[in-house]
Amino acid sequence: MILSQDNRTRLAAVYDRYADMLFRLALSHTMSREDAEDAVQDVFTKYISTSPRFRDDEHERAWLVRVTVNRCHDLVKRGKIRMHDSLEDITDLPSEEDYSHGVLKAVGELPEKYRTAIVLHYLEGFSVEEISGMLGISLSAIKMRLSRGRELLKNSMTDEEENDV
Amino acid sequence: MFDEKEIAAYRNISAPSDLRDKVLSSCMAETPKRNDLRKFTRVISSIAACLLLATVLTTYAFGSYGDLDVSVSDRVLNEESSLTFTTQDNGIAVAAHREIPVTTIPLTFDGHATLRVSGGVMNVIEDGEISYIGTEYATDGKTLVYWTVSGDETSQALEMTVIGRFKTETIILAYDETTAAWVVTREQAK
């Protein structure tokens, strides 16, 4: 059995629409381009194999985000992430000159549950309500995670600045 | 939190260009197999469930948990039917008493039922021995019952009420003088 032309077209459209965002999300969790690629590939494989039915685009996006986060979580949990001794050793991230490197480094140091909320809200621009729907977590829990994540980020940045001085 | 440059830089990160082809080709090559396997597994599971259900229902309907099988001297007595029985049919009986012989009717029940006779007495045989003598007995599986009727009791039809799991039937025993045979009739209880 081969994917029908319709399914292929649909998959390509969904990929074009969400792949970059999902890749960044996966990258922020795995800190490895290869692992992020694997995670995204797994997500789309699951998308086709399970053929979930969506109410609307938001529902579809929420599903993709949730599956990506879960997949990354599984990879980390099972130790399948290509481990690096430290963030400094990561060579496949964007270059040091790139601002994104600092961003990824900062969020990469956050615990996973704060990281997801911070990335989706401050970097991807989703509202608290949208994130709540995507992750299936209450609004207050998302707000708490954002608050706690912000606090940790500030502390981390302050420590770094002090170390630089 | 993050300044605009950082956010813009972050959003500039995009999936590798070759990932698109990888995703599309892997989904074309692998996923349908998984789909097929999943569908196959689902179909097999459904068939297995249906077979199991059919087996259970069949057992329940026709086996020891369903309708009762009754036979008289190894001849099947179907529902709503009759058969005749003479003393010659009975290997273990019988002595003559007055003009009508005393008779023992060997009935075999296969199933669960409560038997109650309006006349005569039931002798339940287990392992070749009489395990019960009386007028009411609950069968459990295959049971051989000798329904013994004396000459005094045969001037009118005798009844055995068979209360099964789903229905109640009556086995009527009547002596036909013209043929000198017992007529055993199985019918729904009225």
Side-chain angles (χ1 to χ4, degrees):
Chain A
M1 184 178 161
I2 294 174
L3 267 188
S4 70
Q5 189 58 41
D6 278 354
N7 279 345
R8 186 183 162 85
T9 306
R10 183 167 62 92
L11 178 63
V14 172
Y15 180 92
D16 291 341
R17 193 169 181 184
Y18 297 114
D20 289 344
M21 187 260 286
L22 299 178
F23 179 75
R24 289 193 295 269
L25 183 61
L27 189 59
S28 72
H29 280 75
T30 63
M31 294 295 153
S32 155
R33 295 187 75 87
E34 286 179 18
D35 290 325
E37 278 185 41
D38 289 348
V40 170
Q41 191 165 343
D42 289 346
V43 169
F44 281 101
T45 300
K46 186 168 185 178
Y47 179 89
I48 284 298
S49 66
T50 58
S51 297
R53 294 179 185 280
F54 301 111
R55 290 188 303 274
D56 50 31
D57 288 349
E58 273 189 24
H59 186 210
E60 182 177 57
R61 186 182 62 192
W63 185 91
L64 289 165
V65 167
R66 192 160 54 238
V67 172
T68 303
V69 170
N70 289 342
R71 182 61 189 145
C72 292
H73 177 76
D74 286 346
L75 288 172
V76 173
K77 197 176 168 186
R78 293 176 190 175
K80 289 187 176 175
I81 295 293
R82 294 160 176 84
M83 297 302 292
H84 303 284
D85 291 338
S86 75
L87 284 170
E88 304 303 330
D89 295 331
I90 301 172
T91 55
D92 56 358
L93 282 179
S95 67
E96 185 72 45
E97 291 75 28
D98 194 329
Y99 285 104
S100 63
H101 184 269
V103 173
L104 285 171
K105 189 181 170 190
V107 296
E109 289 175 348
L110 288 173
E112 190 186 329
K113 65 178 182 180
Y114 303 129
R115 189 187 313 171
T116 306
I118 290 285
V119 167
L120 290 175
H121 186 64
Y122 290 108
L123 296 174
E124 295 294 346
F126 292 115
S127 70
V128 172
E129 288 78 10
E130 285 174 317
I131 299 169
S132 169
M134 284 174 185
L135 302 181
I137 298 170
S138 70
L139 284 176
S140 58
I142 296 295
K143 285 176 185 170
M144 187 276 293
R145 289 183 186 192
L146 287 173
S147 169
R148 181 71 183 133
R150 274 198 308 268
E151 195 180 325
L152 289 171
L153 272 176
K154 275 181 192 170
N155 292 341
S156 160
M157 287 171 175
T158 306
D159 288 346
E160 197 164 312
E161 282 169 11
E162 285 174 358
N163 288 340
D164 288 344
V165 172
Chain B
M1 182 58 42
F2 300 107
D3 63 31
E4 286 180 8
K5 281 181 183 173
E6 286 173 323
I7 294 173
Y10 170 84
R11 289 189 185 171
N12 267 340
I13 298 172
S14 55
S17 53
D18 61 341
L19 182 59
R20 188 177 193 275
D21 290 336
K22 272 191 208 171
V23 166
L24 292 179
S25 59
S26 72
C27 287
M28 284 180 70
E30 294 174 18
T31 306
K33 284 180 190 169
R34 286 188 194 175
N35 244 348
D36 283 351
L37 182 61
R38 186 168 298 167
K39 280 180 187 169
F40 179 72
T41 308
R42 225 178 269 161
V43 168
I44 291 296
S45 301
S46 303
I47 291 171
C50 287
L51 283 175
L52 181 64
L53 186 63
T55 305
V56 169
L57 288 176
T58 305
T59 304
Y60 199 75
F62 302 110
S64 58
Y65 293 94
D67 290 346
L68 192 68
D69 291 332
V70 181
S71 56
V72 180
S73 193
D74 295 331
R75 287 180 292 159
V76 175
L77 178 60
N78 292 315
E79 293 179 25
E80 305 299 327
S81 67
S82 299
L83 54 81
T84 57
F85 176 82
T86 64
T87 51
Q88 286 74 35
D89 293 327
N90 187 349
I92 70 161
V94 181
H97 181 75
R98 297 181 187 173
E99 66 277 12
I100 300 172
V102 173
T103 300
T104 295
I105 312 288
L107 295 162
T108 304
F109 297 89
D110 194 355
H112 298 263
T114 299
L115 312 177
R116 193 178 298 143
V117 291
S118 65
V121 69
M122 290 185 290
N123 296 268
V124 179
I125 309 297
E126 282 179 337
D127 300 325
E129 302 286 333
I130 296 175
S131 63
Y132 171 84
I133 300 174
T135 57
E136 183 169 327
Y137 182 78
T139 66
D140 182 18
K142 197 163 187 176
T143 308
L144 174 60
V145 177
Y146 288 111
W147 186 8
T148 302
V149 181
S150 70
D152 292 340
E153 293 173 310
T154 54
S155 56
Q156 59 184 13
L158 299 172
E159 289 185 358
M160 174 185 282
T161 305
V162 181
I163 305 166
R165 200 178 282 267
F166 300 113
K167 58 189 175 188
T168 299
E169 296 176 282
T170 306
I171 293 175
I172 302 165
L173 186 62
Y175 186 73
D176 182 358
E177 292 183 358
T178 56
T179 58
W182 294 91
V183 179
V184 187
T185 304
R186 180 181 176 185
E187 62 182 33
Q188 286 282 344
K190 290 168 184 158

